[in-house]
């Protein structure tokens, strides 16, 4: 699936979702400590602020970049869109931000870093994402965006974190303490691109791996390696097999937090995605519908993408 092309097609949905479903005003109850960026530059009417430190868990500096319209907003503060990169929680970075072009359309955009599983096991990655949202909300006035209109967008591993932000707002057991204490980590809209949503389920495809790896067909071998990597990525995040970390796997699964007060969601998933099966998005869609959400869907079986949008009744 051409995920980057898909992202540009559907990022407008999170922008619309943030604008339409801003239902939670967010004041800043505690003063925010000013951060010194690594660099600030203005290119093509976009002000780029790089290297803002939003938290320091265990002495590790976690940074984010901002892409902002160069001109101040004429009326109400602009919505903020937060990009969370993928990479199996093991690689990737904030430097590539597909949402950045939306700054030219009047939106504030943030791209965040988070700790990889080589540094810290889950829920460190969720703690970091929540810390970033709290920091951004606390600094909203500094950068001219609306603290009550924040949307999260992520791909794959980042999609799981975005989905968790949309479902576990202010859930104490996964909140963490980084960023700016006393500020909400809730978001008002989510776009989740090919996200894992329930990592507690048995992965029946793992039984196929030995046969696929022994195949004479290179495509089968590649598929076997992809399926095998699912388990390896998850074990690295949890610190071992799911069977030995059931409670942690539950905390990692966005579907387990679904409720009627969640943010509006938009899913993009390909039915040819063998790393994260499309059934993972379908599970989340079904859970949200049971919680009282309705669905708009565009299903393209046999094609690259399937998109599903959910909004309140």
């Amino acid at each position: 699936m051409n995920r980057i092309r898909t992202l540009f097609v559907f990022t407008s949905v999170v922008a619309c979702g943030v604008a339409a479903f801003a239902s939670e005003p967010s004041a800043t109850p505690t003063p925010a400590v000013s951060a010194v960026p690594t660099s600030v530059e203005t290119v093509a009417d976009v002000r780029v602020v790089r290297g803002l430190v939003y938290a320091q868990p265990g002495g590790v500096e976690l940074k984010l970049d901002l892409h902002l319209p160069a001109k101040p907003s004429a009326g109400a503060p602009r919505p903020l869109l937060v990009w969370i990169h993928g990479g199996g929680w093991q690689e990737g970075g904030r430097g590539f931000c597909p949402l950045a072009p939306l700054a030219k359309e009047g939106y504030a955009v943030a791209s965040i870093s988070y700790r990889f599983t080589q540094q810290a096991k889950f829920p460190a990655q969720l703690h970091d994402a929540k810390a970033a949202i709290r920091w951004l909300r606390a600094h909203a006035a500094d950068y001219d965006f609306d603290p009550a209109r924040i949307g999260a967008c992520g791909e794959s591993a980042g999609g799981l974190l975005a989905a968790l932000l949309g479902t576990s707002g202010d859930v104490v057991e996964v909140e963490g303490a980084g960023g700016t204490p006393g500020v909400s980590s809730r978001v008002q809209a989510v776009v989740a691109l090919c996200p894992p949503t329930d990592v507690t389920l048995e992965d029946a495809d793992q039984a196929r791996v030995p046969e696929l790896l022994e195949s004479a067909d290179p495509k089968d071998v590649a598929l076997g390696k992809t399926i095998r990597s699912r388990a390896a990525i998850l074990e690295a995040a949890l610190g071992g097999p799911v069977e030995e970390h059931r409670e942690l796997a539950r905390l990692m699964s966005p579907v387990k937090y679904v409720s009627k007060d969640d943010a509006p969601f938009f899913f993009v998933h390909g039915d040819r995605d063998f790393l994260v099966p499309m059934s993972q998005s379908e599970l989340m869609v079904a859970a949200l519908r049971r919680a009282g959400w309705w669905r708009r869907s565009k299903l393209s079986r046999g094609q690259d993408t399937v998109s599903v949008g959910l909004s309140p009744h």
Side-chain angles (χ1 to χ4, degrees):
M1 180 175 68
N2 188 334
R3 290 174 173 172
I4 301 306
R5 175 176 58 80
T6 300
L7 176 59
F8 278 102
V9 172
F10 290 105
T11 43
S12 59
V13 175
V14 80
C16 293
V18 172
F21 297 107
S23 58
E24 180 185 333
S26 243
T28 306
T30 57
V33 178
S34 297
V36 178
T38 302
S39 67
V40 180
E41 60 180 341
T42 300
V43 179
D45 296 324
V46 175
R47 180 179 174 228
V48 183
V49 184
R50 301 189 188 278
L52 291 163
V53 177
Y54 70 83
Q56 293 180 283
V60 177
E61 288 191 343
L62 298 177
K63 298 181 179 181
L64 58 84
D65 299 335
L66 292 173
H67 303 262
L68 307 167
K71 296 181 180 180
S73 56
R78 53 183 57 95
L80 170 69
L81 310 178
V82 181
W83 170 249
I84 308 174
H85 69 81
W89 309 293
Q90 297 176 1
E91 59 184 356
R94 71 183 191 278
F96 174 65
C97 179
L99 299 185
L102 289 174
K104 295 181 181 180
E105 306 300 324
Y107 295 92
V109 175
S111 183
I112 70 170
S113 298
Y114 53 85
R115 285 172 289 175
F116 294 153
T117 54
Q118 300 94 315
Q119 299 171 290
K121 305 304 180 187
F122 189 85
Q125 295 71 35
L126 177 56
H127 289 171
D128 296 348
K130 284 176 170 284
I133 298 298
R134 287 195 294 268
W135 189 95
L136 286 162
R137 180 163 275 130
H139 285 264
D142 298 339
Y143 296 102
D144 194 24
F145 57 79
D146 190 342
R149 295 194 293 168
I150 298 177
C153 180
E155 178 190 22
S156 195
L160 177 141
L161 294 176
L164 283 170
L165 289 174
T167 55
S168 69
D170 302 322
V171 174
V172 175
E173 60 182 333
V174 292
E175 192 65 23
T180 308
V183 178
S184 174
S185 66
R186 284 184 175 270
V187 297
Q188 284 68 56
V190 174
V191 167
L193 307 175
C194 46
T197 65
D198 190 347
V199 301
T200 68
L201 299 178
E202 180 181 355
D203 186 356
D205 287 341
Q206 294 300 323
R208 302 173 55 201
V209 170
E211 180 182 354
L212 289 168
L213 293 179
E214 293 176 2
S215 173
D217 187 339
K219 292 183 179 179
D220 286 345
V221 174
L223 176 59
K225 290 180 179 179
T226 297
I227 294 173
R228 184 177 61 183
S229 70
R230 295 181 199 163
I233 290 169
L234 191 54
E235 288 184 12
L238 296 174
V242 172
E243 294 75 17
E244 298 175 8
H245 299 276
R246 286 288 181 189
E247 177 58 18
L248 198 55
R250 184 189 69 81
L251 294 176
M252 192 185 215
S253 301
V255 73
K256 303 300 184 183
Y257 301 93
V258 169
S259 64
K260 63 182 180 181
D261 66 343
D262 289 338
F265 269 78
F266 194 87
F267 296 90
V268 179
H269 214 132
D271 63 358
R272 293 179 180 177
D273 189 336
F274 299 110
L275 181 59
V276 182
M278 192 176 70
S279 59
Q280 286 284 311
S281 282
E282 292 173 333
L283 285 168
M284 189 77 171
V285 168
L288 286 163
R289 292 190 73 187
R290 288 194 298 271
W293 297 74
W294 61 271
R295 179 178 72 175
R296 291 192 305 251
S297 63
K298 176 184 177 183
L299 302 179
S300 305
R301 299 289 178 181
Q303 303 299 317
D304 284 346
T305 64
V306 175
S307 57
V308 179
L310 295 109
S311 302
H313 280 301

